[in-house]
Amino acid sequence: MQPGAFVLPLLIALPLLGAILVMCTPKTESSLHRGVGMTFTVITFIVSLLVFRYFNAKAEGFQLVFDVEWIPGLGARFKTGIDGISIFLVILTTFLMPITLLGTSKSIEKHTREFMAAMLVLEAGMLGAFVSLDIFLFYTFWEVMLIPMYLLIGIWGGQRRLYASIKFVIYTMLGSLLMLVAIFYVYIQHANVTGVYTTDLEQLLTVALPHNAQFWCFGAFALAFSIKIPLFPLHTWLPDAHVEAPTAGSVILAGVMLKFGIFGFLRFAMPLFPNGAAVWAPVIAILAVIGIIYGALVAFAQDDVKKIVAYSSVSHMGFCALGLFALTPYGISGSIFAMLSHGLTTGGLFLGIGVLYERRHTRRLAEYGGVWKVMPVFSALYLIIVMGSAGLPALSGFIGEFLTIFGTFNAGDTFPASHPNYLPSPRLLGALAATGVIFGAVYLLYMFQKVFFGKLDKARNGGLKDLSGRELATFLPLVALIFALGLFPRPVLQVMEPSVQKFIKDYHRRVAEPDGPSHVYGTLPQADKTADAMQNKLDAAAKGAQAVQNTLGTPPAGGAQ
């Protein structure tokens, strides 16, 4: 075991232990339920900071690896680890969970015990999926996440909660089942080549599949991950889920769960099926740009503040997908950074909407106006979060969007010229994506103006109370991190850089592998294929000579007379 290997399993175990303990408490003790849930999420966050003690920011491989046998008959292992790509996503998860519970502790009045248990199980599932280095273990945690989120929407959601929760499950399960089929194919092909049945990701990465198989397997993975992002036109479940989910569900769904689409591409789909990724990359990049513009325009047309933020997620996650498939260091680093920023800003936006809804029990823009006059502290903090989401320089959103656009714009210059499957017109895609930044500022500032400025002409708005101490403690850490990431992005990017460089290097090495049957990388060199082709030509020539001889007839013995 590597130093610090105990940290990652402990991170998964702590929320599960908290869920068990909270379910053992009396059903009527709501304060005790909240206290237990809050305590375990805070402890999990503190423990997650231990990864920095053992993490080497200059190393490019997996670290803190914990590896034990799990299901011997299947060849599955309980194997966890992190690198520069996943470390900050783990910290984002453990940071947002206590913030979410603190900000929404008073909004859940029924079944608080079950609510806290669902949130803790959800946290364990998300953390497990981020650190899994076994593909079957990842799939298990991927499905575990689905159950508590379904319950959060279906039990504690709005009037159309059943419709939204069932739609969420159907979309997610459809992609998941196809991904499972592709996992089985990779599993069998690895066994055919090596004689070893295993679901260990690092072992599976040693086997190259035929290019045609990579195309279809990547498509199956891409469907599951594109639904989770969500990528246009697979996004229709997201607005319903956000609108009907309780505030806590919306914060975690937008702040963390949407990131698994991009993370899944980075960790599993692109390394396992590089040639499939190269073929699908132009399609996904174009759909990402469409989603950026479409999400922004539809957000501007909404009159429900929660729907505005929901469609803004479609637009912002499009930047992450575009930067990823630009396959440049700037693009991929920008994609990861944009995910971190989106988790903070969109989580803050949903928490702010929750504050307003608790006081006014409405989300319609027309019901607000002049809120700044009665809630100046909340308005000022919310303005910073809005500007961070809109990409104002010196705030976190600007860094991620700038890097993804810059990485996309230069994709044609940095992608290997020998490979035909680079992005079509990368500078045009970058320029179109940049318009999404402008549209984002339009709909976010329009929303802010409608809610916080103007006349205070609604009687019920005049009595609104500003933030309480608990609510202030919720927003201040978010605002501080939005400033920190915007002003000092380099430390975060430096930690990502070795892993991003390794990802790109490994991708280009794998995508250059010659086509052929399933084989271990490097065992079908081009020279062997050339020799095989030469032998085939000699065999064909011999057959041709025999055919000519049969046609002309065999010359008589002794030669020509």
Side-chain angles (χ1 to χ4, degrees):
M1 295 292 178
Q2 294 184 1
F6 71 93
V7 175
L8 301 182
L10 183 60
L11 284 179
I12 300 171
L14 280 171
L16 291 178
L17 177 61
I20 294 172
L21 288 180
V22 79
M23 288 302 295
C24 292
T25 59
K27 186 176 179 63
T28 56
E29 298 292 335
S30 298
S31 298
L32 181 59
H33 305 153
R34 295 188 181 100
V36 172
M38 190 69 189
T39 299
F40 273 88
T41 55
V42 171
I43 293 173
T44 304
F45 172 64
I46 294 172
V47 172
S48 71
L49 298 179
L50 286 177
V51 300
F52 292 111
R53 177 182 176 184
Y54 300 101
F55 190 82
N56 181 2
K58 297 181 180 179
E60 59 181 19
F62 292 115
Q63 302 180 48
L64 283 72
V65 175
F66 180 89
D67 186 9
V68 296
E69 194 173 57
W70 181 32
I71 309 176
L74 185 64
R77 308 190 65 80
F78 193 95
K79 185 176 181 180
T80 59
I82 57 173
D83 60 0
I85 291 172
S86 60
I87 182 171
F88 290 110
L89 294 173
V90 170
I91 300 300
L92 175 68
T93 304
T94 61
F95 171 77
L96 277 182
M97 187 60 71
I99 291 293
T100 301
L101 292 184
L102 181 64
T104 62
S105 61
K106 300 299 182 182
S107 62
I108 302 299
E109 298 177 351
K110 64 175 183 178
H111 307 304
T112 55
R113 182 179 65 176
E114 290 77 9
F115 173 81
M116 287 297 168
M119 291 291 287
L120 289 166
V121 172
L122 178 59
E123 181 178 21
M126 294 186 299
L127 290 172
F130 275 135
V131 302
S132 293
L133 296 182
D134 181 281
I135 198 166
F136 186 74
L137 182 65
F138 168 78
Y139 187 82
T140 301
F141 283 120
W142 175 274
E143 293 300 308
V144 166
M145 291 187 296
L146 175 66
I147 300 170
M149 182 53 70
Y150 167 75
L151 295 176
L152 287 172
I153 300 172
I155 297 176
W156 294 278
Q159 294 182 351
R160 300 175 71 242
R161 57 184 179 274
L162 293 180
Y163 167 79
S165 60
I166 292 173
K167 189 175 183 180
F168 165 73
V169 169
I170 291 175
Y171 267 77
T172 306
M173 287 295 295
L174 174 63
S176 298
L177 291 175
L178 291 177
M179 180 171 67
L180 184 61
V181 173
I183 289 173
F184 280 136
Y185 178 82
V186 177
Y187 176 74
I188 296 299
Q189 291 304 308
H190 182 275
N192 290 340
V193 173
T194 65
V196 177
Y197 287 95
T198 182
T199 55
D200 186 324
L201 175 63
E202 292 184 291
Q203 294 297 319
L204 295 177
L205 289 174
T206 62
V207 172
L209 302 176
H211 291 184
N212 187 54
Q214 291 190 39
F215 173 83
W216 292 109
C217 288
F218 183 86
F221 272 66
L223 180 63
F225 297 146
S226 297
I227 289 172
K228 188 69 78 176
I229 290 174
L231 204 64
F232 176 90
L234 303 172
H235 66 284
T236 57
W237 65 270
L238 183 65
D240 291 318
H242 271 314
V243 169
E244 300 305 325
T247 300
S250 293
V251 173
I252 298 303
L253 180 59
V256 182
M257 290 189 69
L258 301 188
K259 313 304 180 286
F260 282 101
I262 302 297
F263 177 77
F265 278 121
L266 274 167
R267 178 68 80 236
F268 298 97
M270 297 176 75
L272 285 169
F273 318 113
N275 285 284
V279 176
W280 283 101
V283 177
I284 296 176
I286 292 172
L287 291 177
V289 172
I290 294 174
I292 291 171
I293 299 173
Y294 168 85
L297 293 176
V298 176
F300 183 69
Q302 303 304 312
D303 64 349
D304 184 313
V305 287
K306 215 172 185 184
K307 278 192 175 182
I308 292 174
V309 180
Y311 278 106
S312 78
S313 290
V314 177
S315 182
H316 284 105
M317 291 305 294
F319 282 102
C320 300
L322 180 62
L324 172 60
F325 284 93
L327 278 170
T328 60
Y330 285 118
I332 295 175
S333 296
S335 177
I336 301 170
F337 201 98
M339 286 195 288
L340 300 177
S341 174
H342 179 263
L344 297 174
T345 58
T346 304
L349 290 175
F350 277 120
L351 284 170
I353 293 170
V355 168
L356 292 173
Y357 187 78
E358 286 181 22
R359 288 158 168 77
R360 287 283 282 105
H361 299 289
T362 181
R363 294 189 298 264
R364 296 183 61 85
L365 286 176
E367 294 297 320
Y368 291 100
V371 172
W372 191 301
K373 296 181 176 66
V374 291
M375 302 180 70
V377 175
F378 171 64
S379 302
L381 294 175
Y382 203 67
L383 178 61
I384 295 171
I385 297 172
V386 166
M387 289 301 182
S389 182
L392 183 72
L395 301 178
S396 60
F398 172 78
I399 305 297
E401 290 177 352
F402 174 80
L403 289 175
T404 54
I405 294 171
F406 183 76
T408 302
F409 196 80
N410 293 316
D413 300 329
T414 57
F415 205 91
S418 60
H419 200 284
N421 293 312
Y422 54 84
L423 293 187
S425 304
R427 294 184 177 179
L428 175 61
L429 292 177
L432 290 174
T435 64
V437 180
I438 301 171
F439 293 144
V442 170
Y443 66 75
L444 286 169
L445 292 177
Y446 173 77
M447 176 191 72
F448 192 84
Q449 186 269 332
K450 285 289 186 180
V451 174
F452 294 94
F453 293 143
K455 295 180 179 180
L456 189 62
D457 54 0
K458 306 291 189 303
R460 295 185 61 185
N461 292 337
L464 297 180
K465 295 182 179 180
D466 211 341
L467 296 181
S468 65
R470 172 184 60 85
E471 292 167 333
L472 194 61
T474 300
F475 285 97
L476 286 178
L478 288 171
V479 170
L481 277 180
I482 290 171
F483 270 116
L485 290 179
L487 294 172
F488 308 104
R490 187 57 186 160
V492 175
L493 294 172
Q494 282 179 325
V495 174
M496 297 179 191
E497 188 173 359
S499 296
V500 170
Q501 293 289 354
K502 182 179 185 298
F503 172 85
I504 295 174
K505 179 178 65 177
D506 289 347
Y507 175 83
H508 289 320
R509 175 179 58 82
R510 293 188 180 109
V511 83
E513 186 79 8
D515 196 6
S518 300
H519 61 280
V520 175
Y521 277 105
T523 60
L524 276 182
Q526 191 65 37
D528 291 347
K529 293 187 68 179
T530 303
D532 292 341
M534 181 62 71
Q535 184 61 47
N536 291 335
K537 290 181 180 179
L538 291 174
D539 292 342
K543 290 180 181 179
Q546 184 64 43
V548 171
Q549 184 175 343
N550 293 338
T551 302
L552 298 177
T554 304
Q561 301 295 321

